[in-house]
């Protein structure tokens, strides 16, 4: 997966290099400056490469336009004090909105039969996120989220919700046993400090270091429904 992402990110510049080579071959062939022993092969390969390059360049232009249009748009930002003042249901909606801000298609699914998932989200790479929200009215002074919650979410995230990632978000804290257990089980934790950074505008990807940002871009028009 890591190798594929590296290849994907470098493929654009490989296409540029390939296009330059193809242009040289085509120019030489069409002008007679560099005659090719296989002219039909040069045309057969060269023209699709040029068309692919044109599509790639148009996509880059679309992304630049999208970024410019959204650069000055208002971003959803909340303080920890705002989050502390919410009730549990409102907190779930706030987490949903933060996920949407970061480009995910997110919906609140919390309820009596949510199987540990309060918010379900899908990013542009079609990776599914199962998010458990734990709001504490007293914030950091409230009860710590214990290891039981970590195990419950791990047990349902992949089997029930078909999730790629499992995430627990709280405006409070986690117990000393919950943190190493989450690391071992691959459950991501967003405690009060990280939540403050996330709510103030930092993208989720920058907080969860092992999780790379989606390769796709909102301008590609490939959003998926949660």
């Amino acid at each position: 997966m890591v190798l594929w992402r590296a290849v994907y990110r470098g493929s654009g510049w490989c296409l540029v290099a390939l296009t330059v080579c193809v242009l040289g071959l085509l120019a030489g062939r069409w002008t007679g400056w560099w005659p090719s022993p296989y002219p039909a092969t040069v045309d057969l390969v060269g023209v699709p490469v040029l068309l692919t390059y044109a599509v790639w360049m148009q996509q880059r232009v679309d992304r630049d336009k999208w970024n410019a249009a959204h650069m000055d748009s208002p971003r959803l930002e909340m303080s920890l004090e705002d989050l502390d003042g919410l009730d549990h249901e409102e907190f779930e909606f706030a987490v949903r909105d933060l996920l949407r801000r970061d480009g995910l298609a997110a919906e609140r699914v919390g309820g009596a039969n949510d199987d540990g998932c309060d918010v379900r989200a899908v990013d542009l790479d079609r990776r599914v996120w199962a998010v458990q929200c734990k709001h504490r009215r007293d914030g950091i002074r409230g009860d710590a989220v214990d290891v039981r919650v970590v195990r419950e979410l791990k047990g349902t995230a992949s089997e029930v919700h078909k999730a790629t990632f499992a995430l627990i978000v709280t405006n409070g804290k986690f117990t000393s046993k919950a943190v190493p257990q989450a690391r071992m089980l691959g459950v991501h934790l967003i405690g009060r400090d990280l939540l403050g950074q996330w709510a103030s505008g930092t993208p989720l990807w920058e907080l969860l270091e092992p999780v790379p940002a989606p390769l796709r871009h909102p301008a590609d028009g490939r959003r998926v429904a949660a």
Side-chain angles (χ1 to χ4, degrees), residues 33-129:
W33 171 66
W34 187 7
S36 171
Y38 308 105
T41 302
V42 172
D43 290 343
L44 186 64
V45 174
V47 173
V49 169
L50 293 180
L51 291 175
T52 302
Y53 176 76
V55 172
W56 180 77
M57 279 301 299
Q58 183 59 53
Q59 186 181 67
R60 287 184 63 87
V61 170
D62 291 342
R63 290 186 177 199
D64 289 342
K65 289 181 179 178
W66 192 94
N67 288 334
H70 290 75
M71 184 175 298
D72 297 325
S73 61
R75 295 180 59 83
L76 177 64
E77 297 182 4
M78 291 175 280
S79 68
L80 287 173
E81 290 72 22
D82 294 333
L83 294 169
D84 288 342
L86 304 177
D87 61 27
H88 191 83
E89 182 176 324
E90 292 170 336
F91 184 68
E92 292 174 355
F93 280 112
V95 170
R96 179 205 65 180
D97 292 343
L98 288 173
L99 289 164
R100 288 181 176 180
R101 182 204 67 191
D102 288 348
L104 287 79
E107 295 295 339
R108 176 186 176 268
V109 294
N113 299 310
D114 59 14
D115 289 315
C117 179
D118 296 314
V119 179
R120 185 179 186 273
V122 184
D123 64 30
L124 293 176
D125 285 351
R126 296 186 180 276
R127 299 177 300 182
V128 178
W129 293 73

Side-chain angles (χ1 to χ4, degrees), residues 170-183:
T170 181
N171 64 323
K173 57 188 176 183
F174 296 94
T175 64
S176 59
K177 291 184 178 180
V179 174
Q181 184 76 1
R183 188 179 299 113

Side-chain angles (χ1 to χ4, degrees), residues 12 36 39 72 80 84-85 116 147 163-164 167 169 181 208 211 217 222:
S36 171
D72 297 325
L80 287 173
D84 288 342
V147 69
T164 311
L167 177 67
V169 182
Q181 184 76 1
L208 304 178
V211 179
H217 189 275
R222 295 177 178 176

